[in-house]
Amino acid sequence: MNPLWSMSASSVHKQAEGEEKTLAEDVKNRPLQTEPKKQLSSIPKNALPTTKPTSLTRATQSTNGTHASYRPFYLEYLLLAEFTLVVKQKLPGVYVQPSYRSALVWFGVIFIRHGLFQDGVFKFTVYIPDNYPDGDYPRLLFDIPIFHPLVDSTSGELDVKRAFAKWRRSHNHIWQVLMYARRIFYEIYTTSPLNPEAAVLYEKDFQLFKNKVVDSVKVCTAHLLDQPKIEDPYAISFSPWNPSVHEEAKEKMLTQKKPD
């Protein structure tokens, strides 16, 4: 079980308050000593890096005024709050799961039910900067590049910068990135594309664009049962339909009572 997501907001506050009191007593009664700091788990070796390594100066400072020793707890609290917001938003057809190995990596999948990309099931990974929320925007990469003007045809990275030119800590949240990732399948933009071919075909040869989109959806579907690219017990994976395993779960979902 990921210790990050088992930690409640209240426990984070209590732990931070306890350390603050201890720190004050140490300063008053004896010379200040360097205490070992709790660190977030590192990003898996085979995961794409989100940012350049943080400098020593950056690591010992906090742009929001929080003491450096509290920074790991503060980041954990923020990411827990961000995930809670995602759950509350109930984005249609969008599901995410934080990584077991790193709180800065989230796995996700988008189901498209109508439109040009109908029946598409697109797995993706979100990479959150280690200086969140004071750094750049989170990155979102589809496991398989999708034929779309806003998706890089080689890396599968979504053009998140288009929607978040500057990440503002007081206004922007990860759920907005997920909502944007869903919206691009229903609203096609072609200006300053990451995939120029897709943009030109959408404007000049719409039928060929539709054909390539259908082919792209088929490719993603064909690889849906592939093992996750990152070895992580919480990575999203699919398995063939097995009535003895899935039928009971299906019935429970269909018969689940709605809250009054």
Side-chain angles (χ1 to χ4, degrees), residues 80-91 94 96 98 106 175 178:
L80 176 59
E82 287 289 342
F83 183 70
T84 301
L85 285 176
V86 171
V87 174
K88 289 182 177 180
Q89 290 301 317
K90 299 181 180 179
L91 301 176
V94 180
V96 291
W106 293 12
W175 71 264
L178 300 177

Side-chain angles (χ1 to χ4, degrees), residues 1-2 15 46 66 137 142 150 154 204 251:
M1 180 67 180
N2 190 339
Q15 191 168 6
N46 55 345
T66 304
Y137 48 83
F142 290 100
L150 302 186
T154 302
K204 305 295 185 180
E251 291 300 323

Side-chain angles (χ1 to χ4, degrees), residues 53-249:
T54 306
S55 65
L56 180 61
T57 302
R58 177 72 178 179
T60 57
Q61 297 177 350
S62 176
T63 58
N64 65 355
T66 304
H67 193 281
S69 63
Y70 301 150
R71 173 63 186 175
F73 303 109
Y74 179 71
L75 179 57
E76 287 183 348
Y77 174 78
L78 282 180
L79 293 176
L80 176 59
E82 287 289 342
F83 183 70
T84 301
L85 285 176
V86 171
V87 174
K88 289 182 177 180
Q89 290 301 317
K90 299 181 180 179
L91 301 176
V94 180
Y95 303 89
V96 291
Q97 171 65 45
S99 164
Y100 174 84
R101 304 184 188 283
S102 173
L104 300 173
V105 178
W106 293 12
F107 305 109
V109 60
I110 298 177
F111 295 87
I112 303 301
R113 301 187 175 97
H114 58 84
L116 291 172
F117 292 84
Q118 183 175 352
D119 298 329
V121 181
F122 308 117
K123 292 194 291 184
F124 62 87
T125 305
V126 176
Y127 297 94
I128 304 169
D130 55 7
N131 58 350
Y132 184 86
D134 301 308
D136 292 331
Y137 48 83
R139 296 172 59 199
L140 189 150
L141 282 76
F142 290 100
D143 286 14
I144 298 177
I146 303 164
F147 190 76
H148 191 290
L150 302 186
V151 178
D152 188 279
S153 60
T154 302
S155 67
E157 182 163 6
L158 173 64
D159 185 8
V160 175
K161 187 176 181 180
R162 171 183 294 267
F164 306 93
K166 180 177 177 56
W167 189 264
R168 297 182 298 171
R169 57 173 294 133
S170 59
H171 293 82
N172 299 135
H173 300 281
I174 297 176
W175 71 264
Q176 295 170 327
V177 176
L178 300 177
M179 182 174 68
Y180 168 68
R182 177 183 181 274
R183 189 171 69 241
I184 68 160
F185 295 106
Y186 300 103
E187 301 176 12
I188 309 298
Y189 299 96
T190 59
T191 56
S192 303
L194 289 186
N195 186 337
E197 179 190 2
V200 170
L201 289 182
Y202 183 82
E203 297 288 349
K204 305 295 185 180
D205 192 339
F206 187 67
Q207 186 57 51
L208 182 55
F209 175 83
K210 289 174 62 177
N211 293 340
K212 285 186 172 290
V213 165
V214 170
D215 291 339
S216 180
V217 170
K218 289 181 179 178
V219 170
C220 292
T221 301
H223 290 277
L224 196 57
L225 301 182
D226 291 355
Q227 291 298 311
K229 292 185 177 182
I230 298 177
E231 294 183 4
D232 190 291
Y234 286 178
I236 295 177
S237 61
F238 292 86
S239 59
W241 176 263
N242 183 342
S244 63
V245 176
H246 302 123
E247 193 64 42
E248 181 179 355

